[in-house]
Each structure stands twice: as C-alpha cells, then as structure tokens.
Amino acid sequence: MELNAAPLRKKKTAHSLLSLKRHKLLYLMILPGFLYFVIFKYLPMGGMIIAFQDYQPYLGITGSPWVGLKHFIRLFTEPTFFMLLRNTLILFALNIVVFFPLPIILALMLNEVRNKMFKSAIQTIIYIPHFLSWVIIVSITYVFMNVDGGVLNEIIASFGGQKISFLTSPEWLRIVYIGQIIWKELGWSTIIYLAAITVVDTQLYEAAEMDGAGRLRKTWHVTLPAIRPVIITLLILKIGHTLDLGFEHMYLLINSLNREVGEIFDTYIYTAGLKNGQLSFSTTVGLFKGVVGLVLVMLSNKLAKKVGEDGVY
C-alpha cells in the first residue's frame, strides 16, 4: 500500500505546484488578506497566556508568575460580570431582532426598482454613512439630540413638549445605539444580499409568473428561498460576535449617567486593561469572549446543518 501511495502523493504535490504556478496572480491577490490575519489575528493569540499569569511588563511573559485560574474566578464572581453580560446580550438581541432583517428587506425592495438611475442613486446615498467613522456619527447625533440647542429637542420644545435627554438618559441609550447602527450600516449590509439576488435563475421568476404569481409572491417563493443560504451563513457569523459588539461606538456613547446600561465587555476591557493597567485580567475577559463566540458559532453551525442548511463549514 505504501509503494502505491508514494507515487500518488508525488502526483498530487506536482499538481498542486502546477496549479500554484498557473494561478500565481490569484494567490498573490489573497496574500495581503492572508498576512493581515496571520499578523493581527493569529500571532497575537500567543499573548493569551498572560490570562493565566500575574503579568508584569518589566518581567515579560517568561518572568511573570503563574496564577492559574485566579483571573477567571475573579471575572465570574464580580457583580460587574452580570451587568456586563446583561448589557451585552440585550444590545446583541437588538442587533439580531431589529437590525439583521432590515438589510434583507431593503435588498428585496431595491431589487424591485426598475429605474436603474434611481436605484443607483438610492444605493449611493445609503452607502455613504458606512464610510463615516463612529466619531462623526456620534458627533452628528450629539448636534441633533443634545438638550441645549439640539435640533430635535428644539423642534420638540417648539411644539410645547418637554426636552428629552437622549444622550444621558439610560432609557434612551439602547434606542440611540441601535438607531445609529441602522443609519450607518443598513445600506452597506445590503450589498451581499443584492449580489446573491443577482444570481437567482431568471427562469424561476418566469415559471412563477406563468403560474400567476405577482411581485410579492415571486419575492416570497423564489427570491427568499434562493438567498436563504446566504442569510443563514451571515446569521451564524453574526452569532459568533454575541459578546463582541465593538469598542469605539459604545465608548463614545456611554457616560457617568448611562454607564449602568451601556457598559459592555469591550469597553470594560479598555477600562481595566489600559486605564487601570490590569493587563492579565483584561486578557481574561477577551479570552472569555473569544471562547464563547467560538462555541456559539459551532453550535449554530451544527443546528443549521440539522435543519438542512449548508452552514459555514
């Protein structure tokens, strides 16, 4: 068996080298992305070892004393943990329930627009906010919603209403948060769905039309089933970011008055790690987030396969 396997391995190796040489430009195109993930994603994973140490920068990783699960015990026993978990899960639920379906609906609506110039104009307008930083988005929100001189509050006051503290009230923080995400990312998130819709077999639409289906019926029975694998894949990837909502956006929104409902794991890592110098503890929080995300992706992918979908892998 080994004598027969050796020539086969050589043949596969030669075929791989030939394919690499033939498609070298394509492999060269993916090189920047490959290097990005290696340098900024995989190599830093070696630093997770300090989650099990009492890390001191001047001693380094090799000289810092080991403390085992001390930081994990502290994380799970502190009252702050449950506040962080609650706030993070609520905001993630808003992302899934409120934001996630909107790009799908918008893509389906844009697909029904027949005027190409009008469609292109709409797409350009809704794509623009994606290229603005969260600093600009939050600053614009401040101009509109500030109590003193904010446009929205001035309109409310002109109608005899009471001004609302949108930016400092805990009751409004989550609404403002999800509203900003919708404004910034809604248009950009439709790109993948629009691309998936373009490859739907037009014969399916023709067959549905012959059966008397209108636009709504064709959308429901043809377009949505055709892009369902894309929706499932993006949903699985989204679930992997359950505890990873991003630092910059929420950090710009929270203050001393709404911190109780706005503090999440990402902002807590910054506070504990960079402000307070608790590098090992903040690494523990980050490792916990990563493990939870990995487990959720694996479980959701397995569930998707059980119901007949392809999943991510």
Side-chain angles (χ1 to χ4, degrees):
M1 293 294 294
E2 292 183 359
L3 294 176
N4 294 331
L8 183 60
R9 285 197 297 268
K10 290 182 179 180
K11 186 176 180 180
K12 288 184 177 180
T13 303
H15 180 73
S16 300
L17 292 175
L18 181 62
S19 177
L20 180 63
K21 183 178 180 180
R22 183 179 301 169
H23 304 291
K24 57 183 178 182
L25 293 180
L26 293 177
Y27 287 107
L28 190 62
M29 288 177 62
I30 68 172
L31 183 61
F34 174 77
L35 292 177
Y36 167 80
F37 280 99
V38 169
I39 296 173
F40 295 104
K41 300 295 183 180
Y42 288 100
L43 291 181
M45 290 175 66
M48 291 190 300
I49 194 174
I50 69 174
F52 305 93
Q53 297 178 321
D54 187 8
Y55 177 72
Q56 302 296 329
Y58 60 89
L59 294 177
I61 293 179
T62 56
S64 298
W66 287 85
V67 295
L69 300 177
K70 171 186 173 182
H71 300 298
F72 289 92
I73 296 173
R74 174 190 167 187
L75 172 64
F76 298 133
T77 55
E78 281 191 349
T80 310
F81 173 77
F82 296 99
M83 179 195 71
L84 297 173
L85 185 63
R86 182 191 69 238
N87 294 341
T88 304
L89 291 179
I90 290 175
L91 293 175
F92 175 75
L94 287 174
N95 269 277
I96 290 294
V97 176
V98 178
F99 175 73
F100 187 79
L102 292 181
I104 303 172
I105 297 171
L106 182 58
L108 294 174
M109 294 172 63
L110 288 173
N111 185 56
E112 296 300 321
V113 177
R114 294 293 176 258
N115 190 314
K116 292 185 178 181
M117 291 185 62
F118 178 73
K119 182 178 179 179
S120 299
I122 293 297
Q123 287 179 283
T124 302
I125 293 172
I126 62 178
Y127 290 167
I128 289 175
H130 171 77
F131 298 99
L132 303 178
S133 69
W134 280 118
V135 175
I136 297 175
I137 296 293
V138 175
S139 299
I140 294 174
T141 306
Y142 180 85
V143 171
F144 274 88
M145 294 186 172
N146 187 28
V147 175
D148 300 323
V151 176
L152 184 56
N153 270 308
E154 291 300 324
I155 294 174
I156 294 174
S158 66
F159 284 97
Q162 187 75 23
K163 290 187 177 181
I164 302 172
S165 301
F166 293 104
L167 303 177
T168 57
S169 174
E171 293 80 12
W172 282 95
L173 175 66
R174 291 163 181 161
I175 298 175
V176 173
Y177 171 84
I178 197 65
Q180 289 175 339
I181 290 180
I182 292 172
W183 177 32
K184 187 177 188 294
E185 301 296 344
L186 176 59
W188 188 257
S189 301
T190 62
I191 292 178
I192 295 178
Y193 299 113
L194 287 172
I197 291 173
T198 58
V199 299
V200 178
D201 191 353
T202 56
Q203 293 181 356
L204 296 175
Y205 291 110
E206 294 172 358
E209 192 170 348
M210 291 178 65
D211 290 337
R215 284 192 174 186
L216 186 60
R217 288 285 186 179
K218 286 189 288 185
T219 299
W220 183 260
H221 293 289
V222 178
T223 309
L224 271 178
I227 66 174
R228 186 173 59 190
V230 177
I231 297 174
I232 296 298
T233 300
L234 293 179
L235 180 60
I236 293 173
L237 296 176
K238 188 79 172 177
I239 290 174
H241 291 276
T242 301
L243 302 183
D244 188 18
L245 300 178
F247 159 75
E248 184 181 6
H249 183 196
M250 184 52 73
Y251 182 74
L252 294 168
L253 282 178
I254 58 175
N255 50 60
S256 58
L257 298 177
N258 59 22
R259 187 174 297 275
E260 185 67 24
V261 298
E263 188 82 87
I264 57 176
F265 285 107
D266 297 286
T267 56
Y268 187 69
I269 289 174
Y270 171 77
T271 303
L274 295 182
K275 281 191 172 182
N276 300 334
Q278 303 174 20
L279 300 178
S280 291
F281 181 65
S282 61
T283 303
T284 301
V285 180
L287 180 57
F288 166 72
K289 283 173 46 186
V291 171
V292 170
L294 176 63
V295 172
L296 289 176
V297 167
M298 294 175 65
L299 291 177
S300 56
N301 186 76
K302 187 175 182 179
L303 180 61
K305 287 190 173 182
K306 278 191 174 182
V307 298
E309 301 295 336
D310 293 334
V312 177
Y313 57 91

